[in-house]
Amino acid sequence: MSHFVQLNLHHAVAAVKNLKERAKDQNIVIACVQELYEIESRPVGVPGNYKLFCSTREKLKAGIIVFDPSLQAMKVFSASNVVGMTFNWGIKNILLMSIYSPPSEDINVTLQQIETCLSIPHDGVILVRDFNAKSPIWGGTQEDDRGKSLADFAFSKGLAILNEENSPPTFDGSRGKSWIDVSLCDAPLIENIFKWQVDMEVTSSDHNSISFTLYTDKKTLTFQDQKKDTAGKPGPGYLQKRSPPHYWQLGSPHSSISDGN
């Protein structure tokens, strides 16, 4: 299995340091980050023995940090708001994207870059991003135009939203609280991603981190889900297994989707 973390670093050196320590303590394999700490447009703070792939914009970069040196990973796409890499997962080739969409920019620019990246051959895809977009589909009670555009795009591409509606806010800072960090995957991977959660621990950023686990062996996962404890009740693995509530119902808040138009 592989442990992933998603975090907007708020261009803070302390957040980078904290993430490195967590990677060692929690066996994090990959971190998808946004707003990297930079000096003169160069990301700093990530040791050279880790792979680091970044988007092309001068500031507020999105990045992917590969902490596991044995993971076969390759950068395959880079644009202003999106960076993509592929990695081997069993016999499959997984496409992973880290995305940052600044609130001052048209979200359709980012969506077009994602669509281009999706054309790269892959057996499954995971997208993690700070979209600065709000929708009750992934948390909170507000919806804005950016949130509607993102939901419509995800539905059109057959992507499942992994966020839990009742999860803690992903942004929690001096400007308030909101749910603007989103995790998605496609149908081939939905049954293999477990333990998605907003982490309630110190990040040294104004965002909370998100973590989830990608299991390699679905058969092993099924066994754990059905495992019983000594009292005959479902074991912890069963409680952590979630159905994808938004895969088919993603467009339900919008009549333009739910009525099939």
Side-chain angles (χ1 to χ4, degrees), residues 20 36 39 65 84 92-93 96 106 130 138 180 201 230:
K20 289 187 296 184
L36 283 151
I39 296 178
I65 306 172
K92 295 184 177 180
N93 187 46
L96 174 67
D106 185 349
D130 176 358
W138 48 83
I180 54 176
E201 59 180 275
T230 55

Side-chain angles (χ1 to χ4, degrees), residues 95-108:
L95 176 62
L96 174 67
M97 293 185 226
S98 179
I99 302 145
Y100 179 69
S101 183
S104 60
E105 293 184 8
D106 185 349
I107 195 172
N108 289 303

